[in-house]
Amino acid sequence: MQLNIDKIADSIRAMPPESPVCAYLYDLSALQRHVGALTAKLPANCEMFYAVKANSDLPILQTIAPLVTGFEAASGGEVHWLRRHFPELPLIFGGPGKTDAELAAALDLNVELLHVESIGELHRLAWIARQKNKQVKVLLRINLPLDPALSTSLSMGGHATQFGIEPAQREVCLAFLKQHPELNCQGFHFHLLSHQLDAQAQLQLIDLCFQQTKNWCRAYGLEHAMLNIGGGFGINYREPSQQFDWQGFSDGLKDLIVRHNLETWKIRLEPGRYVSAACGYYLAQVIDIKHSFGRWFVICQGGSHHFRTPYAQGHSHPFKVIAKDYWPYPFKRYGVEQTRITVCGQLCTPKDILAYDAAVTRVRMGDVLVFPYAGAYAWHISHHDFLRHPHPEHIYLA
Ligand SMILES: Cc1ncc(COP(=O)(O)O)c(C=O)c1O
């Protein structure tokens, strides 16, 4: 998705000059174009569910909803939120540690399909389904051993983790399903990793999932398998010009489906980050600039309590400086030129860093820093109330 920093700069200039800038800005028309382009490129038997954990703000969801098959929820809270606002949209529900109350609510709220994480969860779900006299469609979430060369900085599978069912347990789960008609197993679910930047590596992973699923279907006499191949498509925060190649991925996926003869299977994807990251921008105005032991520090209004993404992923987040000419004080405006800076927030911890060793042409007190790719796992993963600073504004541009 193309960033549109000029549109963001225009919005900043349109704000009252005297009001401090501390905001999230979301470009909804760019989001709409992006999601439309993503789904248009997918093979015909693929369906996209947006993983709302990435950003479940209502205007974001309302923009995405008409363009996808449905939403993926990862908690009872998300299921309730989605049903309240999208009574008819297909929902799928996954994630570890679902409580009885969450499982029961999923049944009551017509969640289309649940991704089951363990034999214990199968037992509880069957028990709840029997009590409600309902039949529930499920996929078994499987953890597969993976060549470490295929893993990324955020792997939910491939090795020992709390996610999914390990291969040794698969048979027990399938045997349980055979004896429990209240659970209708449709196939398998894989979400083995996030932050994948390499389309070919993602295809290799999916190739493995296709192969394994075909073997299991043969071994257990499953006829029509549905496969959810998860999300995990990354955003390259370190080198923003080198983003995941969706066109190459979609073409490769088409080839894989043909090669494995899976044109009649339903194949689902549930990406989060790659869908909504690029529509969001975090804006933080420079409050202070100071020198310390040979380095320049730029301190902004806001910080990691609003925008935890750089700390969570351990990167220096890219940003652009938008010059703001308003300077109401009768004293010098401090600034630096042609140097490297560390960008910090207002928190009382040295971990409150958004960018480090970043080259700037010029930045002055009162200028605004714009951090792109802040539409996913940004506000929603941040510790908003630490120090009780005011929350940023949330602005949704048409
Ligand atoms: C089960 C599951 N599906 C989908 C996603 C979305 O992943 P991403 O945002 O990397 O596409 C996640 C993220 O943690 C997940 O755990």
Side-chain angles (χ1 to χ4, degrees):
M1 172 174 155
Q2 289 289 2
L3 298 181
N4 192 346
I5 300 279
D6 289 345
K7 182 171 176 181
I8 307 308
D10 287 347
S11 302
I12 294 170
R13 289 189 199 104
M15 292 172 184
E18 67 285 1
S19 33
V21 182
C22 179
Y24 270 96
L25 235 133
Y26 300 97
D27 185 346
L28 296 182
S29 46
L31 176 64
Q32 188 180 34
R33 283 194 301 277
H34 174 60
V35 182
L38 294 185
T39 52
K41 289 187 178 111
L42 285 176
N45 61 329
C46 289
E47 294 182 337
M48 186 185 281
F49 283 71
Y50 169 57
V52 308
K53 58 176 80 74
N55 185 330
S56 54
D57 285 3
L58 203 48
I60 301 284
L61 298 179
Q62 283 164 335
T63 305
I64 295 175
L67 303 164
V68 293
T69 304
F71 289 144
E72 188 253 356
S75 73
E78 285 185 349
V79 169
H80 281 283
W81 174 249
L82 293 171
R83 261 298 161 258
R84 173 138 61 96
H85 297 289
F86 304 90
E88 305 296 336
L89 204 73
L91 301 185
I92 52 180
F93 181 22
K98 300 179 201 74
T99 64
D100 288 358
E102 288 176 315
L103 293 172
L107 269 54
D108 293 341
L109 295 172
N110 287 328
V111 166
E112 190 226 290
L113 194 143
L114 280 92
H115 303 156
V116 178
E117 293 265 345
S118 70
I119 182 72
E121 193 171 274
L122 273 181
H123 275 279
R124 285 192 297 119
L125 183 59
W127 181 69
I128 292 166
R130 276 198 305 278
Q131 283 175 351
K132 292 187 176 290
N133 200 20
K134 286 198 170 175
Q135 213 202 26
V136 192
K137 286 196 220 161
V138 299
L139 297 186
L140 293 182
R141 180 178 183 178
I142 306 286
N143 186 358
L144 287 179
L146 276 190
D147 179 345
L150 274 185
S151 76
T152 61
S153 57
L154 193 64
S155 294
M156 287 80 174
H159 57 281
T161 68
Q162 68 270 48
F163 303 107
I165 296 162
E166 66 169 336
Q169 283 277 307
R170 194 185 51 246
E171 216 161 317
V172 177
C173 291
L174 286 164
F176 180 89
L177 284 165
K178 268 205 173 133
Q179 290 156 7
H180 290 83
E182 62 276 24
L183 302 184
N184 177 354
C185 181
Q186 305 269 302
F188 300 95
H189 172 276
F190 303 91
H191 176 82
L192 296 169
L193 47 85
S194 281
H195 286 315
Q196 179 63 266
L197 294 174
D198 179 345
Q200 293 313 313
Q202 189 75 351
L203 288 167
Q204 255 179 281
L205 197 69
I206 294 171
D207 192 3
L208 185 72
C209 297
F210 283 178
Q211 192 54 59
Q212 294 284 6
T213 306
K214 279 169 61 181
N215 293 345
W216 301 333
C217 287
R218 226 171 283 132
Y220 301 114
L222 299 178
E223 278 182 13
H224 281 293
M226 179 197 284
L227 208 55
N228 185 319
I229 51 179
F233 312 94
I235 289 289
N236 197 340
Y237 300 103
R238 290 180 170 84
E239 289 187 64
S241 62
Q242 308 282 309
Q243 294 299 348
F244 185 89
D245 173 13
W246 188 264
Q247 180 70 60
F249 168 74
S250 306
D251 292 344
L253 185 58
K254 262 178 221 149
D255 292 346
L256 267 187
I257 289 172
V258 171
R259 185 147 60 76
H260 283 283
N261 241 326
L262 300 183
E263 290 99 327
T264 56
W265 287 23
K266 195 177 270 186
I267 294 170
R268 289 182 164 173
L269 294 85
E270 50 179 34
R273 189 181 306 269
Y274 196 72
V275 174
S276 55
C279 80
Y281 301 81
Y282 177 56
L283 277 42
Q285 190 162 17
V286 176
I287 297 174
D288 206 357
I289 297 184
K290 61 164 112 173
H291 195 257
S292 178
F293 294 89
R295 286 168 58 194
W296 284 105
F297 289 82
V298 167
I299 294 145
C300 294
Q301 178 154 356
S304 56
H305 55 310
H306 295 169
F307 181 45
R308 197 167 180 275
T309 317
Y311 181 71
Q313 306 310 332
H315 64 251
S316 172
H317 208 90
F319 63 89
K320 287 262 186 284
V321 180
I322 305 298
K324 211 170 171 219
D325 290 332
Y326 181 73
W327 185 253
Y329 309 105
F331 47 83
K332 179 180 153 104
R333 184 175 188 180
Y334 284 95
V336 289
E337 289 189 8
Q338 305 293 356
T339 189
R340 291 188 171 270
I341 60 170
T342 296
V343 180
C344 311
Q346 297 169 284
L347 301 184
C348 50
T349 161
K351 295 180 177 174
D352 187 21
I353 290 177
L354 303 183
Y356 49 84
D357 204 25
V360 285
T361 314
R362 182 181 77 167
V363 57
R364 304 163 301 172
M365 290 159 75
D367 284 341
V368 177
L369 304 190
V370 175
F371 296 86
Y373 302 108
Y377 305 104
W379 172 247
H380 293 267
I381 61 158
S382 303
H383 42 294
H384 309 149
D385 290 326
F386 185 41
L387 294 201
R388 298 205 171 274
H389 282 297
H391 290 183
E393 257 189 285
H394 290 260
I395 301 165
Y396 302 91
L397 302 177

mmCIF file of all heavy atoms in Angstrom, residues 51 53-54 72 74 94-96 115 117 141 154 156 163 189-191 193-196 228 230-234 270-275 376-377, ligand 1:
data_model
loop_
_atom_site.group_PDB
_atom_site.id
_atom_site.type_symbol
_atom_site.label_atom_id
_atom_site.label_comp_id
_atom_site.label_asym_id
_atom_site.label_seq_id
_atom_site.Cartn_x
_atom_site.Cartn_y
_atom_site.Cartn_z
ATOM 1 N N ALA A 51 -7.885 -10.363 10.715
ATOM 2 C CA ALA A 51 -7.623 -10.632 12.137
ATOM 3 C C ALA A 51 -7.737 -9.311 12.891
ATOM 4 O O ALA A 51 -6.821 -8.483 12.879
ATOM 5 C CB ALA A 51 -6.223 -11.233 12.308
ATOM 6 N N LYS A 53 -7.533 -8.350 15.834
ATOM 7 C CA LYS A 53 -6.616 -8.006 16.928
ATOM 8 C C LYS A 53 -5.630 -6.915 16.484
ATOM 9 O O LYS A 53 -5.150 -6.140 17.294
ATOM 10 C CB LYS A 53 -5.846 -9.232 17.419
ATOM 11 C CG LYS A 53 -5.025 -9.930 16.337
ATOM 12 C CD LYS A 53 -4.207 -11.081 16.873
ATOM 13 C CE LYS A 53 -5.003 -12.341 17.068
ATOM 14 N NZ LYS A 53 -5.364 -13.060 15.834
ATOM 15 N N ALA A 54 -5.348 -6.860 15.184
ATOM 16 C CA ALA A 54 -4.377 -5.874 14.687
ATOM 17 C C ALA A 54 -4.892 -4.450 14.899
ATOM 18 O O ALA A 54 -4.116 -3.540 15.217
ATOM 19 C CB ALA A 54 -4.092 -6.119 13.209
ATOM 20 N N GLU A 72 -11.736 -12.437 11.895
ATOM 21 C CA GLU A 72 -11.230 -13.426 12.844
ATOM 22 C C GLU A 72 -11.125 -12.767 14.210
ATOM 23 O O GLU A 72 -10.517 -11.703 14.346
ATOM 24 C CB GLU A 72 -9.848 -13.938 12.414
ATOM 25 C CG GLU A 72 -9.340 -15.101 13.254
ATOM 26 C CD GLU A 72 -8.219 -14.768 14.236
ATOM 27 O OE1 GLU A 72 -7.733 -13.611 14.262
ATOM 28 O OE2 GLU A 72 -7.829 -15.661 15.004
ATOM 29 N N ALA A 74 -10.147 -13.174 18.429
ATOM 30 C CA ALA A 74 -9.239 -13.952 19.268
ATOM 31 C C ALA A 74 -9.603 -13.844 20.747
ATOM 32 O O ALA A 74 -8.802 -14.201 21.614
ATOM 33 C CB ALA A 74 -7.798 -13.490 19.041
ATOM 34 N N GLY A 94 -10.469 -17.965 17.195
ATOM 35 C CA GLY A 94 -9.315 -18.806 17.531
ATOM 36 C C GLY A 94 -8.579 -18.261 18.732
ATOM 37 O O GLY A 94 -9.009 -17.298 19.368
ATOM 38 N N GLY A 95 -7.466 -18.903 19.033
ATOM 39 C CA GLY A 95 -6.606 -18.422 20.118
ATOM 40 C C GLY A 95 -6.623 -19.348 21.318
ATOM 41 O O GLY A 95 -7.616 -20.054 21.565
ATOM 42 N N PRO A 96 -5.539 -19.343 22.081
ATOM 43 C CA PRO A 96 -5.427 -20.253 23.228
ATOM 44 C C PRO A 96 -6.228 -19.755 24.430
ATOM 45 O O PRO A 96 -6.502 -18.562 24.548
ATOM 46 C CB PRO A 96 -3.935 -20.216 23.542
ATOM 47 C CG PRO A 96 -3.476 -18.873 23.069
ATOM 48 C CD PRO A 96 -4.355 -18.496 21.914
ATOM 49 N N HIS A 115 -11.551 -22.388 15.956
ATOM 50 C CA HIS A 115 -10.246 -23.039 15.789
ATOM 51 C C HIS A 115 -9.845 -23.590 17.151
ATOM 52 O O HIS A 115 -9.641 -22.822 18.087
ATOM 53 C CB HIS A 115 -9.205 -22.035 15.298
ATOM 54 C CG HIS A 115 -9.593 -21.371 14.015
ATOM 55 N ND1 HIS A 115 -9.106 -20.157 13.624
ATOM 56 C CD2 HIS A 115 -10.449 -21.770 13.027
ATOM 57 C CE1 HIS A 115 -9.628 -19.831 12.459
ATOM 58 N NE2 HIS A 115 -10.441 -20.789 12.084
ATOM 59 N N GLU A 117 -7.612 -25.502 19.975
ATOM 60 C CA GLU A 117 -6.178 -25.449 20.282
ATOM 61 C C GLU A 117 -5.646 -26.675 21.018
ATOM 62 O O GLU A 117 -4.439 -26.815 21.161
ATOM 63 C CB GLU A 117 -5.914 -24.227 21.172
ATOM 64 C CG GLU A 117 -6.134 -22.901 20.497
ATOM 65 C CD GLU A 117 -4.855 -22.311 19.911
ATOM 66 O OE1 GLU A 117 -3.759 -22.782 20.261
ATOM 67 O OE2 GLU A 117 -4.968 -21.385 19.085
ATOM 68 N N ARG A 141 -6.306 -26.519 15.133
ATOM 69 C CA ARG A 141 -5.091 -25.729 14.910
ATOM 70 C C ARG A 141 -3.879 -26.606 15.202
ATOM 71 O O ARG A 141 -3.722 -27.122 16.315
ATOM 72 C CB ARG A 141 -5.057 -24.509 15.823
ATOM 73 C CG ARG A 141 -3.794 -23.695 15.588
ATOM 74 C CD ARG A 141 -3.733 -22.457 16.428
ATOM 75 N NE ARG A 141 -2.545 -21.691 16.122
ATOM 76 C CZ ARG A 141 -2.247 -20.535 16.674
ATOM 77 N NH1 ARG A 141 -3.052 -20.012 17.579
ATOM 78 N NH2 ARG A 141 -1.137 -19.889 16.348
ATOM 79 N N LEU A 154 8.989 -13.760 15.059
ATOM 80 C CA LEU A 154 7.790 -13.972 15.883
ATOM 81 C C LEU A 154 7.111 -15.260 15.425
ATOM 82 O O LEU A 154 6.258 -15.239 14.540
ATOM 83 C CB LEU A 154 6.845 -12.771 15.737
ATOM 84 C CG LEU A 154 5.707 -12.654 16.739
ATOM 85 C CD1 LEU A 154 6.229 -12.446 18.153
ATOM 86 C CD2 LEU A 154 4.793 -11.481 16.376
ATOM 87 N N MET A 156 4.905 -18.589 16.217
ATOM 88 C CA MET A 156 3.938 -19.213 17.130
ATOM 89 C C MET A 156 4.004 -20.728 17.016
ATOM 90 O O MET A 156 3.343 -21.435 17.760
ATOM 91 C CB MET A 156 2.511 -18.799 16.772
ATOM 92 C CG MET A 156 2.154 -17.393 17.127
ATOM 93 S SD MET A 156 2.791 -16.265 15.877
ATOM 94 C CE MET A 156 2.086 -14.732 16.418
ATOM 95 N N PHE A 163 0.799 -22.749 21.478
ATOM 96 C CA PHE A 163 -0.208 -22.648 20.412
ATOM 97 C C PHE A 163 -0.418 -23.968 19.671
ATOM 98 O O PHE A 163 0.543 -24.670 19.338
ATOM 99 C CB PHE A 163 0.213 -21.585 19.397
ATOM 100 C CG PHE A 163 0.428 -20.243 20.024
ATOM 101 C CD1 PHE A 163 1.705 -19.739 20.189
ATOM 102 C CD2 PHE A 163 -0.642 -19.499 20.481
ATOM 103 C CE1 PHE A 163 1.913 -18.512 20.787
ATOM 104 C CE2 PHE A 163 -0.449 -18.265 21.089
ATOM 105 C CZ PHE A 163 0.840 -17.772 21.240
ATOM 106 N N HIS A 189 -6.105 -25.758 10.740
ATOM 107 C CA HIS A 189 -5.725 -24.354 10.815
ATOM 108 C C HIS A 189 -4.246 -24.264 11.163
ATOM 109 O O HIS A 189 -3.752 -25.016 12.015
ATOM 110 C CB HIS A 189 -6.555 -23.675 11.915
ATOM 111 C CG HIS A 189 -6.125 -22.270 12.231
ATOM 112 N ND1 HIS A 189 -5.099 -21.991 13.108
ATOM 113 C CD2 HIS A 189 -6.571 -21.076 11.783
ATOM 114 C CE1 HIS A 189 -4.951 -20.669 13.189
ATOM 115 N NE2 HIS A 189 -5.830 -20.098 12.401
ATOM 116 N N PHE A 190 -3.556 -23.363 10.483
ATOM 117 C CA PHE A 190 -2.130 -23.139 10.782
ATOM 118 C C PHE A 190 -1.892 -21.639 10.883
ATOM 119 O O PHE A 190 -2.241 -20.895 9.955
ATOM 120 C CB PHE A 190 -1.242 -23.643 9.641
ATOM 121 C CG PHE A 190 -1.420 -25.090 9.302
ATOM 122 C CD1 PHE A 190 -2.342 -25.483 8.338
ATOM 123 C CD2 PHE A 190 -0.669 -26.065 9.928
ATOM 124 C CE1 PHE A 190 -2.509 -26.818 8.019
ATOM 125 C CE2 PHE A 190 -0.829 -27.398 9.611
ATOM 126 C CZ PHE A 190 -1.749 -27.790 8.650
ATOM 127 N N HIS A 191 -1.345 -21.219 11.982
ATOM 128 C CA HIS A 191 -0.756 -19.865 11.997
ATOM 129 C C HIS A 191 0.562 -20.048 12.728
ATOM 130 O O HIS A 191 0.623 -20.018 13.956
ATOM 131 C CB HIS A 191 -1.644 -18.835 12.709
ATOM 132 C CG HIS A 191 -0.981 -17.486 12.801
ATOM 133 N ND1 HIS A 191 -0.989 -16.586 11.767
ATOM 134 C CD2 HIS A 191 -0.238 -16.930 13.775
ATOM 135 C CE1 HIS A 191 -0.294 -15.508 12.117
ATOM 136 N NE2 HIS A 191 0.166 -15.697 13.339
ATOM 137 N N LEU A 193 3.598 -18.453 12.152
ATOM 138 C CA LEU A 193 4.480 -17.306 12.406
ATOM 139 C C LEU A 193 3.893 -16.003 11.887
ATOM 140 O O LEU A 193 3.002 -16.002 11.045
ATOM 141 C CB LEU A 193 5.869 -17.544 11.797
ATOM 142 C CG LEU A 193 5.972 -18.072 10.360
ATOM 143 C CD1 LEU A 193 5.894 -16.950 9.364
ATOM 144 C CD2 LEU A 193 7.319 -18.792 10.211
ATOM 145 N N SER A 194 4.431 -14.920 12.418
ATOM 146 C CA SER A 194 4.098 -13.581 11.925
ATOM 147 C C SER A 194 5.393 -12.944 11.410
ATOM 148 O O SER A 194 6.460 -13.566 11.471
ATOM 149 C CB SER A 194 3.490 -12.732 13.035
ATOM 150 O OG SER A 194 2.126 -13.071 13.219
ATOM 151 N N HIS A 195 5.297 -11.703 10.932
ATOM 152 C CA HIS A 195 6.488 -10.965 10.461
ATOM 153 C C HIS A 195 7.183 -11.593 9.275
ATOM 154 O O HIS A 195 8.402 -11.463 9.131
ATOM 155 C CB HIS A 195 7.529 -10.828 11.574
ATOM 156 C CG HIS A 195 7.151 -9.842 12.612
ATOM 157 N ND1 HIS A 195 6.639 -8.610 12.315
ATOM 158 C CD2 HIS A 195 7.209 -9.906 13.948
ATOM 159 C CE1 HIS A 195 6.384 -7.972 13.424
ATOM 160 N NE2 HIS A 195 6.704 -8.734 14.441
ATOM 161 N N GLN A 196 6.448 -12.310 8.460
ATOM 162 C CA GLN A 196 7.088 -12.881 7.270
ATOM 163 C C GLN A 196 7.255 -11.785 6.220
ATOM 164 O O GLN A 196 6.275 -11.151 5.834
ATOM 165 C CB GLN A 196 6.198 -14.006 6.716
ATOM 166 C CG GLN A 196 6.728 -14.662 5.472
ATOM 167 C CD GLN A 196 8.059 -15.356 5.702
ATOM 168 O OE1 GLN A 196 9.120 -14.743 5.468
ATOM 169 N NE2 GLN A 196 8.021 -16.577 6.192
ATOM 170 N N ASN A 228 -7.160 -23.293 6.862
ATOM 171 C CA ASN A 228 -6.886 -21.884 7.161
ATOM 172 C C ASN A 228 -5.378 -21.764 7.314
ATOM 173 O O ASN A 228 -4.777 -22.402 8.186
ATOM 174 C CB ASN A 228 -7.608 -21.466 8.447
ATOM 175 C CG ASN A 228 -7.453 -19.984 8.720
ATOM 176 O OD1 ASN A 228 -6.368 -19.431 8.523
ATOM 177 N ND2 ASN A 228 -8.504 -19.341 9.179
ATOM 178 N N GLY A 230 -3.698 -19.086 8.020
ATOM 179 C CA GLY A 230 -3.288 -18.045 8.959
ATOM 180 C C GLY A 230 -2.993 -16.706 8.301
ATOM 181 O O GLY A 230 -3.396 -16.421 7.177
ATOM 182 N N GLY A 231 -2.270 -15.892 9.075
ATOM 183 C CA GLY A 231 -1.838 -14.585 8.559
ATOM 184 C C GLY A 231 -0.323 -14.591 8.555
ATOM 185 O O GLY A 231 0.292 -15.551 8.100
ATOM 186 N N GLY A 232 0.256 -13.528 9.093
ATOM 187 C CA GLY A 232 1.709 -13.536 9.266
ATOM 188 C C GLY A 232 2.485 -12.732 8.252
ATOM 189 O O GLY A 232 3.715 -12.681 8.321
ATOM 190 N N PHE A 233 1.801 -12.099 7.291
ATOM 191 C CA PHE A 233 2.502 -11.308 6.279
ATOM 192 C C PHE A 233 3.038 -10.044 6.953
ATOM 193 O O PHE A 233 2.284 -9.290 7.553
ATOM 194 C CB PHE A 233 1.553 -10.959 5.124
ATOM 195 C CG PHE A 233 0.787 -12.173 4.658
ATOM 196 C CD1 PHE A 233 -0.479 -12.443 5.166
ATOM 197 C CD2 PHE A 233 1.367 -13.067 3.776
ATOM 198 C CE1 PHE A 233 -1.179 -13.574 4.781
ATOM 199 C CE2 PHE A 233 0.681 -14.208 3.388
ATOM 200 C CZ PHE A 233 -0.595 -14.468 3.893
ATOM 201 N N GLY A 234 4.339 -9.844 6.818
ATOM 202 C CA GLY A 234 4.976 -8.803 7.634
ATOM 203 C C GLY A 234 4.983 -7.434 6.994
ATOM 204 O O GLY A 234 4.669 -7.247 5.824
ATOM 205 N N GLU A 270 -6.022 -15.337 7.277
ATOM 206 C CA GLU A 270 -6.507 -14.415 8.324
ATOM 207 C C GLU A 270 -5.403 -13.427 8.718
ATOM 208 O O GLU A 270 -4.924 -13.436 9.846
ATOM 209 C CB GLU A 270 -7.044 -15.196 9.528
ATOM 210 C CG GLU A 270 -6.121 -16.266 10.057
ATOM 211 C CD GLU A 270 -6.680 -17.005 11.261
ATOM 212 O OE1 GLU A 270 -7.898 -17.199 11.348
ATOM 213 O OE2 GLU A 270 -5.852 -17.395 12.121
ATOM 214 N N PRO A 271 -5.014 -12.570 7.771
ATOM 215 C CA PRO A 271 -3.963 -11.598 8.083
ATOM 216 C C PRO A 271 -4.489 -10.413 8.887
ATOM 217 O O PRO A 271 -5.669 -10.057 8.784
ATOM 218 C CB PRO A 271 -3.503 -11.134 6.698
ATOM 219 C CG PRO A 271 -4.701 -11.306 5.827
ATOM 220 C CD PRO A 271 -5.515 -12.439 6.392
ATOM 221 N N GLY A 272 -3.602 -9.836 9.681
ATOM 222 C CA GLY A 272 -3.937 -8.635 10.443
ATOM 223 C C GLY A 272 -3.022 -7.490 10.030
ATOM 224 O O GLY A 272 -3.435 -6.536 9.378
ATOM 225 N N ARG A 273 -1.747 -7.641 10.383
ATOM 226 C CA ARG A 273 -0.776 -6.548 10.210
ATOM 227 C C ARG A 273 -0.739 -6.017 8.777
ATOM 228 O O ARG A 273 -0.789 -4.809 8.554
ATOM 229 C CB ARG A 273 0.623 -7.066 10.594
ATOM 230 C CG ARG A 273 1.701 -5.985 10.662
ATOM 231 C CD ARG A 273 3.059 -6.592 11.035
ATOM 232 N NE ARG A 273 2.992 -7.373 12.240
ATOM 233 C CZ ARG A 273 3.216 -6.901 13.478
ATOM 234 N NH1 ARG A 273 3.548 -5.650 13.643
ATOM 235 N NH2 ARG A 273 3.125 -7.699 14.520
ATOM 236 N N TYR A 274 -0.660 -6.924 7.817
ATOM 237 C CA TYR A 274 -0.473 -6.495 6.424
ATOM 238 C C TYR A 274 -1.715 -5.767 5.894
ATOM 239 O O TYR A 274 -1.637 -5.004 4.949
ATOM 240 C CB TYR A 274 -0.155 -7.719 5.551
ATOM 241 C CG TYR A 274 0.429 -7.379 4.214
ATOM 242 C CD1 TYR A 274 1.738 -6.910 4.103
ATOM 243 C CD2 TYR A 274 -0.326 -7.491 3.054
ATOM 244 C CE1 TYR A 274 2.275 -6.580 2.875
ATOM 245 C CE2 TYR A 274 0.201 -7.170 1.816
ATOM 246 C CZ TYR A 274 1.514 -6.713 1.738
ATOM 247 O OH TYR A 274 2.043 -6.389 0.517
ATOM 248 N N VAL A 275 -2.844 -6.013 6.523
ATOM 249 C CA VAL A 275 -4.089 -5.375 6.077
ATOM 250 C C VAL A 275 -4.145 -3.919 6.556
ATOM 251 O O VAL A 275 -4.395 -3.007 5.774
ATOM 252 C CB VAL A 275 -5.310 -6.168 6.604
ATOM 253 C CG1 VAL A 275 -6.614 -5.444 6.291
ATOM 254 C CG2 VAL A 275 -5.327 -7.569 6.011
ATOM 255 N N ALA A 376 -1.557 -1.034 12.724
ATOM 256 C CA ALA A 376 -1.753 -2.397 13.239
ATOM 257 C C ALA A 376 -0.828 -2.628 14.419
ATOM 258 O O ALA A 376 0.344 -2.223 14.379
ATOM 259 C CB ALA A 376 -1.441 -3.426 12.142
ATOM 260 N N TYR A 377 -1.345 -3.298 15.443
ATOM 261 C CA TYR A 377 -0.551 -3.595 16.647
ATOM 262 C C TYR A 377 0.175 -2.330 17.112
ATOM 263 O O TYR A 377 1.381 -2.353 17.361
ATOM 264 C CB TYR A 377 0.449 -4.724 16.379
ATOM 265 C CG TYR A 377 -0.183 -5.985 15.851
ATOM 266 C CD1 TYR A 377 -0.078 -6.332 14.505
ATOM 267 C CD2 TYR A 377 -0.903 -6.827 16.688
ATOM 268 C CE1 TYR A 377 -0.670 -7.482 14.009
ATOM 269 C CE2 TYR A 377 -1.494 -7.988 16.200
ATOM 270 C CZ TYR A 377 -1.371 -8.305 14.871
ATOM 271 O OH TYR A 377 -1.958 -9.451 14.384
HETATM 272 C C1 LIG B 1 -4.074 -17.276 15.134
HETATM 273 C C2 LIG B 1 -3.672 -15.995 14.502
HETATM 274 N N1 LIG B 1 -4.169 -15.684 13.296
HETATM 275 C C3 LIG B 1 -3.845 -14.533 12.679
HETATM 276 C C4 LIG B 1 -2.983 -13.632 13.260
HETATM 277 C C5 LIG B 1 -2.656 -12.370 12.525
HETATM 278 O O1 LIG B 1 -1.295 -12.335 12.267
HETATM 279 P P1 LIG B 1 -0.643 -11.151 11.424
HETATM 280 O O2 LIG B 1 -1.133 -9.886 11.995
HETATM 281 O O3 LIG B 1 0.813 -11.364 11.589
HETATM 282 O O4 LIG B 1 -1.098 -11.323 10.015
HETATM 283 C C6 LIG B 1 -2.427 -13.912 14.511
HETATM 284 C C7 LIG B 1 -1.517 -12.986 15.163
HETATM 285 O O5 LIG B 1 -1.010 -13.159 16.234
HETATM 286 C C8 LIG B 1 -2.785 -15.132 15.156
HETATM 287 O O6 LIG B 1 -2.290 -15.454 16.351
#
